[in-house]
PDB file of all heavy atoms in Angstrom:
ATOM      1  N   PRO A  27    -115.547 -13.241   6.576  1.00  0.00           N
ATOM      2  CA  PRO A  27    -115.600 -11.847   6.167  1.00  0.00           C
ATOM      3  C   PRO A  27    -116.844 -11.509   5.412  1.00  0.00           C
ATOM      4  O   PRO A  27    -117.465 -12.289   4.634  1.00  0.00           O
ATOM      5  CB  PRO A  27    -114.371 -11.698   5.274  1.00  0.00           C
ATOM      6  CG  PRO A  27    -114.014 -13.050   4.751  1.00  0.00           C
ATOM      7  CD  PRO A  27    -114.554 -14.013   5.863  1.00  0.00           C
ATOM      8  N   TRP A  28    -117.229 -10.201   5.535  1.00  0.00           N
ATOM      9  CA  TRP A  28    -118.468  -9.794   4.864  1.00  0.00           C
ATOM     10  C   TRP A  28    -118.232  -9.624   3.283  1.00  0.00           C
ATOM     11  O   TRP A  28    -117.049  -9.160   2.824  1.00  0.00           O
ATOM     12  CB  TRP A  28    -118.880  -8.351   5.324  1.00  0.00           C
ATOM     13  CG  TRP A  28    -119.535  -8.328   6.726  1.00  0.00           C
ATOM     14  CD1 TRP A  28    -119.422  -9.424   7.532  1.00  0.00           C
ATOM     15  CD2 TRP A  28    -120.044  -7.223   7.328  1.00  0.00           C
ATOM     16  NE1 TRP A  28    -120.108  -8.955   8.752  1.00  0.00           N
ATOM     17  CE2 TRP A  28    -120.512  -7.609   8.511  1.00  0.00           C
ATOM     18  CE3 TRP A  28    -120.427  -5.913   6.938  1.00  0.00           C
ATOM     19  CZ2 TRP A  28    -121.195  -6.874   9.571  1.00  0.00           C
ATOM     20  CZ3 TRP A  28    -121.098  -5.111   7.899  1.00  0.00           C
ATOM     21  CH2 TRP A  28    -121.437  -5.546   9.167  1.00  0.00           C
ATOM     22  N   LYS A  29    -119.101  -9.988   2.566  1.00  0.00           N
ATOM     23  CA  LYS A  29    -118.826  -9.951   1.116  1.00  0.00           C
ATOM     24  C   LYS A  29    -118.932  -8.346   0.682  1.00  0.00           C
ATOM     25  O   LYS A  29    -119.468  -7.580   1.456  1.00  0.00           O
ATOM     26  CB  LYS A  29    -120.023 -10.621   0.348  1.00  0.00           C
ATOM     27  CG  LYS A  29    -120.146 -12.090   0.620  1.00  0.00           C
ATOM     28  CD  LYS A  29    -121.283 -12.746  -0.254  1.00  0.00           C
ATOM     29  CE  LYS A  29    -121.221 -14.192  -0.266  1.00  0.00           C
ATOM     30  NZ  LYS A  29    -121.227 -14.875   1.133  1.00  0.00           N
ATOM     31  N   GLY A  30    -118.341  -8.129  -0.434  1.00  0.00           N
ATOM     32  CA  GLY A  30    -118.234  -6.682  -0.942  1.00  0.00           C
ATOM     33  C   GLY A  30    -118.054  -6.553  -2.316  1.00  0.00           C
ATOM     34  O   GLY A  30    -117.922  -7.595  -3.101  1.00  0.00           O
ATOM     35  N   GLU A  31    -117.833  -5.365  -2.753  1.00  0.00           N
ATOM     36  CA  GLU A  31    -117.516  -5.021  -4.144  1.00  0.00           C
ATOM     37  C   GLU A  31    -116.637  -3.802  -4.284  1.00  0.00           C
ATOM     38  O   GLU A  31    -116.666  -3.047  -3.352  1.00  0.00           O
ATOM     39  CB  GLU A  31    -118.939  -4.685  -4.893  1.00  0.00           C
ATOM     40  CG  GLU A  31    -119.856  -5.780  -5.017  1.00  0.00           C
ATOM     41  CD  GLU A  31    -119.509  -7.012  -5.877  1.00  0.00           C
ATOM     42  OE1 GLU A  31    -118.558  -6.769  -6.762  1.00  0.00           O
ATOM     43  OE2 GLU A  31    -120.056  -8.015  -5.893  1.00  0.00           O
ATOM     44  N   ARG A  32    -116.070  -3.725  -5.433  1.00  0.00           N
ATOM     45  CA  ARG A  32    -115.342  -2.552  -5.757  1.00  0.00           C
ATOM     46  C   ARG A  32    -115.880  -1.887  -6.951  1.00  0.00           C
ATOM     47  O   ARG A  32    -116.083  -2.622  -7.942  1.00  0.00           O
ATOM     48  CB  ARG A  32    -113.806  -2.818  -5.887  1.00  0.00           C
ATOM     49  CG  ARG A  32    -112.894  -1.641  -6.544  1.00  0.00           C
ATOM     50  CD  ARG A  32    -111.625  -2.074  -7.135  1.00  0.00           C
ATOM     51  NE  ARG A  32    -110.927  -0.961  -7.627  1.00  0.00           N
ATOM     52  CZ  ARG A  32    -110.921  -0.457  -8.936  1.00  0.00           C
ATOM     53  NH1 ARG A  32    -111.817  -1.046  -9.681  1.00  0.00           N
ATOM     54  NH2 ARG A  32    -110.206   0.473  -9.163  1.00  0.00           N
ATOM     55  N   LEU A  33    -116.135  -0.510  -6.944  1.00  0.00           N
ATOM     56  CA  LEU A  33    -116.754   0.145  -8.120  1.00  0.00           C
ATOM     57  C   LEU A  33    -115.849   1.384  -8.422  1.00  0.00           C
ATOM     58  O   LEU A  33    -115.369   1.968  -7.479  1.00  0.00           O
ATOM     59  CB  LEU A  33    -118.178   0.660  -7.886  1.00  0.00           C
ATOM     60  CG  LEU A  33    -119.254  -0.390  -7.263  1.00  0.00           C
ATOM     61  CD1 LEU A  33    -120.586   0.276  -7.121  1.00  0.00           C
ATOM     62  CD2 LEU A  33    -119.355  -1.646  -8.313  1.00  0.00           C
ATOM     63  N   GLU A  34    -115.760   1.640  -9.742  1.00  0.00           N
ATOM     64  CA  GLU A  34    -115.177   2.984  -9.998  1.00  0.00           C
ATOM     65  C   GLU A  34    -116.284   4.014 -10.080  1.00  0.00           C
ATOM     66  O   GLU A  34    -117.442   3.751 -10.408  1.00  0.00           O
ATOM     67  CB  GLU A  34    -114.506   2.876 -11.391  1.00  0.00           C
ATOM     68  CG  GLU A  34    -113.254   1.870 -11.307  1.00  0.00           C
ATOM     69  CD  GLU A  34    -112.399   1.928 -12.594  1.00  0.00           C
ATOM     70  OE1 GLU A  34    -112.658   2.741 -13.456  1.00  0.00           O
ATOM     71  OE2 GLU A  34    -111.308   1.170 -12.610  1.00  0.00           O
ATOM     72  N   LEU A  35    -115.853   5.215  -9.750  1.00  0.00           N
ATOM     73  CA  LEU A  35    -116.843   6.416  -9.711  1.00  0.00           C
ATOM     74  C   LEU A  35    -116.476   7.411 -10.824  1.00  0.00           C
ATOM     75  O   LEU A  35    -115.337   7.600 -11.096  1.00  0.00           O
ATOM     76  CB  LEU A  35    -116.625   7.157  -8.498  1.00  0.00           C
ATOM     77  CG  LEU A  35    -116.829   6.332  -7.088  1.00  0.00           C
ATOM     78  CD1 LEU A  35    -116.521   7.185  -5.861  1.00  0.00           C
ATOM     79  CD2 LEU A  35    -118.229   5.749  -7.058  1.00  0.00           C
ATOM     80  N   PRO A  36    -117.526   7.853 -11.535  1.00  0.00           N
ATOM     81  CA  PRO A  36    -118.935   7.650 -11.199  1.00  0.00           C
ATOM     82  C   PRO A  36    -119.237   6.280 -11.583  1.00  0.00           C
ATOM     83  O   PRO A  36    -118.832   5.741 -12.699  1.00  0.00           O
ATOM     84  CB  PRO A  36    -119.712   8.704 -12.037  1.00  0.00           C
ATOM     85  CG  PRO A  36    -118.744   9.083 -13.099  1.00  0.00           C
ATOM     86  CD  PRO A  36    -117.348   8.943 -12.613  1.00  0.00           C
ATOM     87  N   PRO A  37    -120.219   5.527 -10.996  1.00  0.00           N
ATOM     88  CA  PRO A  37    -120.740   4.267 -11.333  1.00  0.00           C
ATOM     89  C   PRO A  37    -121.692   4.223 -12.422  1.00  0.00           C
ATOM     90  O   PRO A  37    -122.254   5.275 -12.811  1.00  0.00           O
ATOM     91  CB  PRO A  37    -121.367   3.697 -10.055  1.00  0.00           C
ATOM     92  CG  PRO A  37    -121.903   4.928  -9.392  1.00  0.00           C
ATOM     93  CD  PRO A  37    -120.925   6.000  -9.759  1.00  0.00           C
ATOM     94  N   GLY A  38    -121.916   3.071 -13.143  1.00  0.00           N
ATOM     95  CA  GLY A  38    -122.796   3.066 -14.204  1.00  0.00           C
ATOM     96  C   GLY A  38    -124.152   3.533 -14.048  1.00  0.00           C
ATOM     97  O   GLY A  38    -124.921   4.095 -14.789  1.00  0.00           O
ATOM     98  N   PHE A  39    -124.570   3.278 -12.711  1.00  0.00           N
ATOM     99  CA  PHE A  39    -125.917   3.544 -12.358  1.00  0.00           C
ATOM    100  C   PHE A  39    -126.141   4.992 -11.973  1.00  0.00           C
ATOM    101  O   PHE A  39    -127.320   5.338 -11.873  1.00  0.00           O
ATOM    102  CB  PHE A  39    -126.391   2.464 -11.236  1.00  0.00           C
ATOM    103  CG  PHE A  39    -125.672   2.616  -9.973  1.00  0.00           C
ATOM    104  CD1 PHE A  39    -125.745   3.706  -9.121  1.00  0.00           C
ATOM    105  CD2 PHE A  39    -124.710   1.560  -9.688  1.00  0.00           C
ATOM    106  CE1 PHE A  39    -124.961   3.735  -7.859  1.00  0.00           C
ATOM    107  CE2 PHE A  39    -124.003   1.587  -8.574  1.00  0.00           C
ATOM    108  CZ  PHE A  39    -124.103   2.706  -7.616  1.00  0.00           C
ATOM    109  N   ALA A  40    -125.142   5.770 -11.834  1.00  0.00           N
ATOM    110  CA  ALA A  40    -125.300   7.113 -11.534  1.00  0.00           C
ATOM    111  C   ALA A  40    -124.149   7.945 -12.197  1.00  0.00           C
ATOM    112  O   ALA A  40    -123.255   8.477 -11.665  1.00  0.00           O
ATOM    113  CB  ALA A  40    -125.111   7.472  -9.948  1.00  0.00           C
ATOM    114  N   PRO A  41    -124.224   7.961 -13.549  1.00  0.00           N
ATOM    115  CA  PRO A  41    -123.276   8.719 -14.357  1.00  0.00           C
ATOM    116  C   PRO A  41    -123.154  10.179 -14.090  1.00  0.00           C
ATOM    117  O   PRO A  41    -122.122  10.782 -14.470  1.00  0.00           O
ATOM    118  CB  PRO A  41    -123.656   8.358 -15.775  1.00  0.00           C
ATOM    119  CG  PRO A  41    -125.134   8.053 -15.661  1.00  0.00           C
ATOM    120  CD  PRO A  41    -125.344   7.415 -14.370  1.00  0.00           C
ATOM    121  N   ASP A  42    -124.171  10.695 -13.558  1.00  0.00           N
ATOM    122  CA  ASP A  42    -124.150  12.217 -13.209  1.00  0.00           C
ATOM    123  C   ASP A  42    -123.518  12.441 -11.967  1.00  0.00           C
ATOM    124  O   ASP A  42    -123.356  13.611 -11.542  1.00  0.00           O
ATOM    125  CB  ASP A  42    -125.534  12.735 -13.178  1.00  0.00           C
ATOM    126  CG  ASP A  42    -126.254  12.613 -14.513  1.00  0.00           C
ATOM    127  OD1 ASP A  42    -125.512  12.736 -15.545  1.00  0.00           O
ATOM    128  OD2 ASP A  42    -127.467  12.677 -14.527  1.00  0.00           O
ATOM    129  N   LEU A  43    -122.956  11.462 -11.185  1.00  0.00           N
ATOM    130  CA  LEU A  43    -122.218  11.682  -9.933  1.00  0.00           C
ATOM    131  C   LEU A  43    -121.059  12.649 -10.242  1.00  0.00           C
ATOM    132  O   LEU A  43    -120.231  12.393 -11.263  1.00  0.00           O
ATOM    133  CB  LEU A  43    -121.923  10.379  -9.348  1.00  0.00           C
ATOM    134  CG  LEU A  43    -121.185  10.398  -7.928  1.00  0.00           C
ATOM    135  CD1 LEU A  43    -122.364  10.646  -6.900  1.00  0.00           C
ATOM    136  CD2 LEU A  43    -120.455   9.203  -7.609  1.00  0.00           C
ATOM    137  N   GLY A  44    -120.936  13.582  -9.370  1.00  0.00           N
ATOM    138  CA  GLY A  44    -119.677  14.569  -9.614  1.00  0.00           C
ATOM    139  C   GLY A  44    -118.506  14.127  -9.007  1.00  0.00           C
ATOM    140  O   GLY A  44    -117.491  14.894  -9.106  1.00  0.00           O
ATOM    141  N   TRP A  45    -118.307  12.941  -8.462  1.00  0.00           N
ATOM    142  CA  TRP A  45    -117.167  12.391  -7.860  1.00  0.00           C
ATOM    143  C   TRP A  45    -116.375  11.470  -8.783  1.00  0.00           C
ATOM    144  O   TRP A  45    -117.035  10.612  -9.552  1.00  0.00           O
ATOM    145  CB  TRP A  45    -117.439  11.574  -6.580  1.00  0.00           C
ATOM    146  CG  TRP A  45    -117.885  12.523  -5.474  1.00  0.00           C
ATOM    147  CD1 TRP A  45    -117.655  13.887  -5.314  1.00  0.00           C
ATOM    148  CD2 TRP A  45    -118.449  12.084  -4.228  1.00  0.00           C
ATOM    149  NE1 TRP A  45    -118.198  14.239  -4.161  1.00  0.00           N
ATOM    150  CE2 TRP A  45    -118.689  13.214  -3.396  1.00  0.00           C
ATOM    151  CE3 TRP A  45    -118.922  10.761  -3.613  1.00  0.00           C
ATOM    152  CZ2 TRP A  45    -119.229  13.190  -2.151  1.00  0.00           C
ATOM    153  CZ3 TRP A  45    -119.432  10.724  -2.388  1.00  0.00           C
ATOM    154  CH2 TRP A  45    -119.600  11.927  -1.726  1.00  0.00           C
ATOM    155  N   ILE A  46    -115.105  11.510  -8.808  1.00  0.00           N
ATOM    156  CA  ILE A  46    -114.201  10.615  -9.502  1.00  0.00           C
ATOM    157  C   ILE A  46    -113.442   9.888  -8.492  1.00  0.00           C
ATOM    158  O   ILE A  46    -112.714  10.532  -7.538  1.00  0.00           O
ATOM    159  CB  ILE A  46    -113.408  11.322 -10.566  1.00  0.00           C
ATOM    160  CG1 ILE A  46    -114.265  11.966 -11.594  1.00  0.00           C
ATOM    161  CG2 ILE A  46    -112.337  10.432 -11.228  1.00  0.00           C
ATOM    162  CD1 ILE A  46    -113.451  12.811 -12.614  1.00  0.00           C
ATOM    163  N   GLY A  47    -113.317   8.588  -8.497  1.00  0.00           N
ATOM    164  CA  GLY A  47    -112.418   7.841  -7.640  1.00  0.00           C
ATOM    165  C   GLY A  47    -112.891   6.442  -7.649  1.00  0.00           C
ATOM    166  O   GLY A  47    -113.172   5.813  -8.670  1.00  0.00           O
ATOM    167  N   VAL A  48    -112.886   5.812  -6.390  1.00  0.00           N
ATOM    168  CA  VAL A  48    -113.210   4.446  -6.220  1.00  0.00           C
ATOM    169  C   VAL A  48    -114.043   4.184  -4.982  1.00  0.00           C
ATOM    170  O   VAL A  48    -113.879   4.977  -4.035  1.00  0.00           O
ATOM    171  CB  VAL A  48    -111.876   3.504  -6.343  1.00  0.00           C
ATOM    172  CG1 VAL A  48    -111.033   3.814  -5.045  1.00  0.00           C
ATOM    173  CG2 VAL A  48    -112.241   2.021  -6.372  1.00  0.00           C
ATOM    174  N   GLU A  49    -114.815   3.122  -5.036  1.00  0.00           N
ATOM    175  CA  GLU A  49    -115.677   2.822  -3.924  1.00  0.00           C
ATOM    176  C   GLU A  49    -115.477   1.376  -3.494  1.00  0.00           C
ATOM    177  O   GLU A  49    -115.357   0.480  -4.471  1.00  0.00           O
ATOM    178  CB  GLU A  49    -117.081   3.037  -4.248  1.00  0.00           C
ATOM    179  CG  GLU A  49    -118.168   2.257  -3.472  1.00  0.00           C
ATOM    180  CD  GLU A  49    -119.475   2.183  -4.065  1.00  0.00           C
ATOM    181  OE1 GLU A  49    -119.938   3.091  -4.934  1.00  0.00           O
ATOM    182  OE2 GLU A  49    -120.278   1.130  -3.707  1.00  0.00           O
ATOM    183  N   HIS A  50    -115.336   1.122  -2.214  1.00  0.00           N
ATOM    184  CA  HIS A  50    -115.348  -0.246  -1.637  1.00  0.00           C
ATOM    185  C   HIS A  50    -116.523  -0.276  -0.727  1.00  0.00           C
ATOM    186  O   HIS A  50    -116.707   0.538   0.072  1.00  0.00           O
ATOM    187  CB  HIS A  50    -114.052  -0.650  -1.019  1.00  0.00           C
ATOM    188  CG  HIS A  50    -112.909  -0.889  -2.000  1.00  0.00           C
ATOM    189  ND1 HIS A  50    -112.326  -2.138  -2.155  1.00  0.00           N
ATOM    190  CD2 HIS A  50    -112.258   0.029  -2.880  1.00  0.00           C
ATOM    191  CE1 HIS A  50    -111.400  -2.005  -3.178  1.00  0.00           C
ATOM    192  NE2 HIS A  50    -111.283  -0.672  -3.458  1.00  0.00           N
ATOM    193  N   ILE A  51    -117.242  -1.522  -0.833  1.00  0.00           N
ATOM    194  CA  ILE A  51    -118.441  -1.627   0.137  1.00  0.00           C
ATOM    195  C   ILE A  51    -118.400  -3.036   0.744  1.00  0.00           C
ATOM    196  O   ILE A  51    -117.847  -4.028   0.077  1.00  0.00           O
ATOM    197  CB  ILE A  51    -119.695  -1.452  -0.679  1.00  0.00           C
ATOM    198  CG1 ILE A  51    -120.785  -1.476   0.246  1.00  0.00           C
ATOM    199  CG2 ILE A  51    -119.857  -2.362  -1.814  1.00  0.00           C
ATOM    200  CD1 ILE A  51    -122.169  -1.038  -0.422  1.00  0.00           C
ATOM    201  N   ARG A  52    -118.779  -3.171   1.984  1.00  0.00           N
ATOM    202  CA  ARG A  52    -118.879  -4.415   2.674  1.00  0.00           C
ATOM    203  C   ARG A  52    -120.356  -4.572   3.237  1.00  0.00           C
ATOM    204  O   ARG A  52    -120.709  -3.748   3.914  1.00  0.00           O
ATOM    205  CB  ARG A  52    -117.917  -4.583   3.788  1.00  0.00           C
ATOM    206  CG  ARG A  52    -116.499  -4.512   3.370  1.00  0.00           C
ATOM    207  CD  ARG A  52    -116.102  -5.815   2.506  1.00  0.00           C
ATOM    208  NE  ARG A  52    -114.725  -5.819   2.128  1.00  0.00           N
ATOM    209  CZ  ARG A  52    -114.240  -5.298   0.984  1.00  0.00           C
ATOM    210  NH1 ARG A  52    -115.070  -4.561   0.160  1.00  0.00           N
ATOM    211  NH2 ARG A  52    -112.929  -5.347   0.696  1.00  0.00           N
ATOM    212  N   PHE A  53    -121.095  -5.708   2.806  1.00  0.00           N
ATOM    213  CA  PHE A  53    -122.259  -5.985   3.181  1.00  0.00           C
ATOM    214  C   PHE A  53    -122.507  -6.792   4.454  1.00  0.00           C
ATOM    215  O   PHE A  53    -121.877  -7.771   4.526  1.00  0.00           O
ATOM    216  CB  PHE A  53    -123.135  -6.673   2.064  1.00  0.00           C
ATOM    217  CG  PHE A  53    -123.013  -6.035   0.729  1.00  0.00           C
ATOM    218  CD1 PHE A  53    -122.438  -6.696  -0.372  1.00  0.00           C
ATOM    219  CD2 PHE A  53    -123.574  -4.754   0.584  1.00  0.00           C
ATOM    220  CE1 PHE A  53    -122.340  -6.093  -1.684  1.00  0.00           C
ATOM    221  CE2 PHE A  53    -123.473  -4.254  -0.793  1.00  0.00           C
ATOM    222  CZ  PHE A  53    -122.792  -4.894  -1.821  1.00  0.00           C
TER     223      PHE A  53
END
């Protein structure tokens, strides 16, 4: 399986993001 991560939104690297929620990514 591809490696991945789970992040909460907005993420620390983009605190100005207007979205609230969660992100899942697969590399």
